[in-house]
Each structure stands twice: as structure tokens, then as C-alpha cells.
């Protein structure tokens, strides 16, 4: 009976000793998470006011959030009574083991840092990478999120993005729209070029500089093929592509310049015995 009372007394002392610590640690955890959220929002708002790149804002926000959460976890552990020195050593050993197991993830993290530092592309750019063509929606710590032209979301690891070829269609702010059209061998080439140039010059989304171009590309089986090169901003690319194709056909028809289609003359011979 005395032993039971002794254990009960010890339990009560432990409860009385650790309950305030646990409650304080829990309150610190909840308040700390709330404050971290506020700090991240304030930081991102300040970066937006200073016209910082949207890509960098998101990346910095994630880094601050995870860093402060790690410090908060150490503080809460210390309040509960866990020795932080040994705790950090355990975390270090665990981190090494996890790091070896997650080499790919660490490579993706390093790739994300390189993308932020060297900026081969940014949010809103139209790029082609890893066989995918799309607009950059978000650059996260480990992955880049693309939205394809048919509105599909593609998630590409940053490690592959930083080590592979990336074609940035938005990097220079202007794109050449490569078009081609064939005219009859009997058509007046100079007149056809004049008609096509007027179509491009009259289009509001075709850039004046670099100037649009029309030239003879090749002599086909049924037509003289012309290369047509208007320039446009990345946002206007597809509008120019489809509009110029349509308006060239209409303008050439009005000018009575024929656009031939492939044909073959077949001669039949009647061999009489």
C-alpha cells in the first residue's frame, strides 16, 4: 500500500511539474505558427510593394516559413525539457540519413536555388523544357509548375530544369512567327509579296521592329513557296499566327493571285495491237 501511495505521489508530482511546461509549450507552438504566418505575409507584401519578381517572392516566403518553423520546433522542445544539444545532434544524424535517401529531392532544391539566382525563366514566361511547352505558373522549392497551351498542369522537378535545356520564348520579349504560303508559277511574285506585306503592316499586333519579311523560300512541285515572317510579342503570337494565315488567303484571292493545290497530270495512251 505504501508503495502504491509512493507511485501515486510521484505521478502527481510529475503531472504538476510537466503540465505547466506542456501547456506553455503548446501555447508557444500555436502562437508561434500564427506569428510565422503573419511574418511571411508581411514579408511577401513588402516584396510586392518593392516590385520584386513574383518568383522570388514565393521562394523567399517558403524559405522563411520553413526556417522559422524549424527554430520554433527547437524552442518548443527545449521548453518541454528536451536537451536541445542532443536533440540537434539527433536531428543532424537523421538529416544525414534522410539526405542520403533523398538525394533527388536535394538536387531539386539546389536546382530551385539556381533558378532563382540565375533566372533562366520567371513566372509568366512561355518556355519549352523536358519535352513540355507551357507558361510558368509557379516556381516552388522543389518543382516548377507549367500550364500547357491546352490548359493542363505539368509539374517538372527543378533538378531537371536546372540541368537540362530550356527554351524561353518570352526571354527577348518578341517572337518571329514563321509562316509559309505557295503561289502559282504564273503569278506575279512582286505583287504577291506586296499584298502579303500590306496584310502584315495593317495588322495591329504585328511589330514594326523587327520589320516583317516576305521572300521566296523554294520552288515546289506545284507552287512558288514564300516564307512569311511577322514579329509579335509572346502574348500575341497565336493571334498573329492565325490572323495572318487567314488574311493572306483573303487578300491574295482579292488580288487574283492563285494559291495552287498539289495536282498531277495523268496521260493515258491507247496502245492498239
Amino acid at each position: 500500500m505504501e508503495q502504491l501511495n509512493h507511485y501515486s505521489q510521484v505521478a502527481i508530482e510529475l503531472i504538476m511539474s510537466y503540465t505547466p511546461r506542456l501547456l506553455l509549450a503548446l501555447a508557444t507552438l500555436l502562437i508561434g505558427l500564427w506569428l510565422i504566418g503573419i511574418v511571411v505575409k508581411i514579408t511577401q507584401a513588402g516584396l510586392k510593394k518593392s516590385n520584386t519578381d513574383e518568383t522570388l517572392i514565393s521562394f523567399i516566403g517558403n524559405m522563411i516559413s520553413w526556417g522559422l518553423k524549424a527554430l520554433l520546433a527547437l524552442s518548443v522542445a527545449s521548453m518541454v525539457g528536451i536537451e536541445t544539444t542532443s536533440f540537434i545532434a539527433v536531428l543532424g544524424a537523421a538529416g544525414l540519413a534522410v539526405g542520403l535517401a533523398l538525394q533527388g529531392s536535394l538536387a531539386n532544391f539546389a536546382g530551385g536555388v539556381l533558378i532563382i539566382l540565375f533566372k533562366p525563366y520567371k513566372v509568366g514566361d512561355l518556355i519549352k523544357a523536358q519535352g513540355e511547352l507551357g507558361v510558368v505558373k509557379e516556381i516552388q522549392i522543389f518543382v516548377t509548375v507549367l500550364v500547357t497551351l491546352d490548359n493542363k498542369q505539368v509539374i517538372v522537378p527543378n533538378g531537371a530544369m536546372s540541368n537540362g535545356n530550356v527554351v524561353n520564348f518570352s526571354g527577348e520579349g518578341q517572337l518571329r512567327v514563321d509562316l509559309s504560303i505557295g503561289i502559282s508559277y504564273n503569278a506575279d511574285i512582286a505583287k504577291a509579296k506586296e499584298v502579303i506585306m500590306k496584310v502584315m503592316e495593317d495588322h495591329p499586333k504585328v511589330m514594326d521592329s523587327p520589320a516583317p519579311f516576305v521572300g521566296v523560300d523554294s520552288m515546289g512541285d506545284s507552287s512558288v513557296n514564300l516564307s512569311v515572317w511577322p514579329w509579335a510579342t509572346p502574348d500575341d503570337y497565336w493571334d498573329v499566327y492565325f490572323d495572318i494565315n487567314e488574311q493572306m488567303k483573303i487578300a491574295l484571292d482579292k488580288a487574283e493571285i492563285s494559291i495552287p493545290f498539289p495536282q498531277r497530270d495523268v496521260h493515258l495512251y491507247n496502245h492498239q495491237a
Side-chain angles (χ1 to χ4, degrees):
M1 191 67 179
E2 287 184 15
Q3 190 174 8
L4 181 60
N5 289 335
H6 173 70
Y7 286 138
S8 299
Q9 186 176 357
V10 170
I12 292 172
E13 289 178 355
L14 288 174
I15 292 172
M16 293 295 292
S17 174
Y18 279 97
T19 296
R21 292 186 183 184
L22 290 173
L23 291 176
L24 183 59
L26 180 60
T28 302
L29 178 63
L30 295 176
I31 295 173
L33 291 174
W34 176 69
L35 289 174
I36 289 171
I38 292 176
V39 169
V40 171
K41 288 181 180 178
I42 291 174
T43 303
Q44 290 180 327
L47 292 172
K48 286 181 180 178
K49 287 183 179 179
S50 61
N51 295 322
T52 304
D53 192 311
E54 188 68 31
T55 303
L56 192 57
I57 293 174
S58 176
F59 193 85
I60 290 175
N62 284 332
M63 290 293 291
I64 291 175
S65 176
W66 284 106
L68 291 178
K69 285 176 181 176
L71 293 175
L72 177 63
L74 289 175
S75 299
V76 171
S78 177
M79 294 175 66
V80 173
I82 299 175
E83 287 293 334
T84 55
T85 304
S86 58
F87 188 63
I88 291 172
V90 171
L91 282 180
L96 178 61
V98 171
L100 292 173
L102 300 176
Q103 292 182 39
S105 297
L106 293 176
N108 291 332
F109 173 78
V113 172
L114 291 175
I115 291 169
I116 295 300
L117 290 177
F118 296 105
K119 298 182 179 179
Y121 55 85
K122 61 183 185 300
V123 172
D125 282 355
L126 175 65
I127 67 171
K128 183 176 182 180
Q130 302 300 308
E132 302 292 345
L133 174 66
V135 176
V136 179
K137 179 181 179 183
E138 188 177 358
I139 301 175
Q140 299 179 2
I141 294 177
F142 297 107
V143 299
T144 292
V145 181
L146 303 179
V147 177
T148 63
L149 300 179
D150 55 352
N151 208 38
K152 294 176 183 176
Q153 192 176 87
V154 180
I155 299 173
V156 187
N158 284 336
M161 295 293 281
S162 63
N163 292 315
N165 294 332
V166 176
V167 180
N168 190 339
F169 295 97
S170 303
E172 297 298 323
Q174 56 194 22
L175 290 173
R176 191 181 75 188
V177 184
D178 290 350
L179 304 174
S180 179
I181 193 167
I183 61 173
S184 169
Y185 273 95
N186 296 324
D188 185 333
I189 294 178
K191 184 178 179 182
K193 290 173 65 176
E194 181 183 345
V195 169
I196 294 171
M197 280 295 294
K198 188 172 189 318
V199 167
M200 291 190 288
E201 290 169 353
D202 290 346
H203 196 286
K205 293 185 178 180
V206 172
M207 301 177 70
D208 297 326
S209 179
F213 169 82
V214 183
V216 176
D217 179 78
S218 62
M219 307 296 179
D221 293 337
S222 305
S223 63
V224 177
N225 299 318
L226 305 178
S227 286
V228 181
W229 294 346
W231 289 78
T233 64
D235 290 339
D236 294 335
Y237 180 90
W238 291 111
D239 289 339
V240 170
Y241 181 93
F242 291 114
D243 288 351
I244 297 299
N245 264 324
E246 178 180 340
Q247 292 172 18
M248 277 195 302
K249 172 65 168 66
I250 295 171
L252 290 173
D253 285 347
K254 286 183 179 178
E256 297 182 349
I257 298 173
S258 62
I259 303 174
F261 51 86
Q263 55 187 342
R264 178 176 297 174
D265 294 330
V266 179
H267 301 278
L268 299 177
Y269 295 94
N270 184 15
H271 295 280
Q272 295 181 352

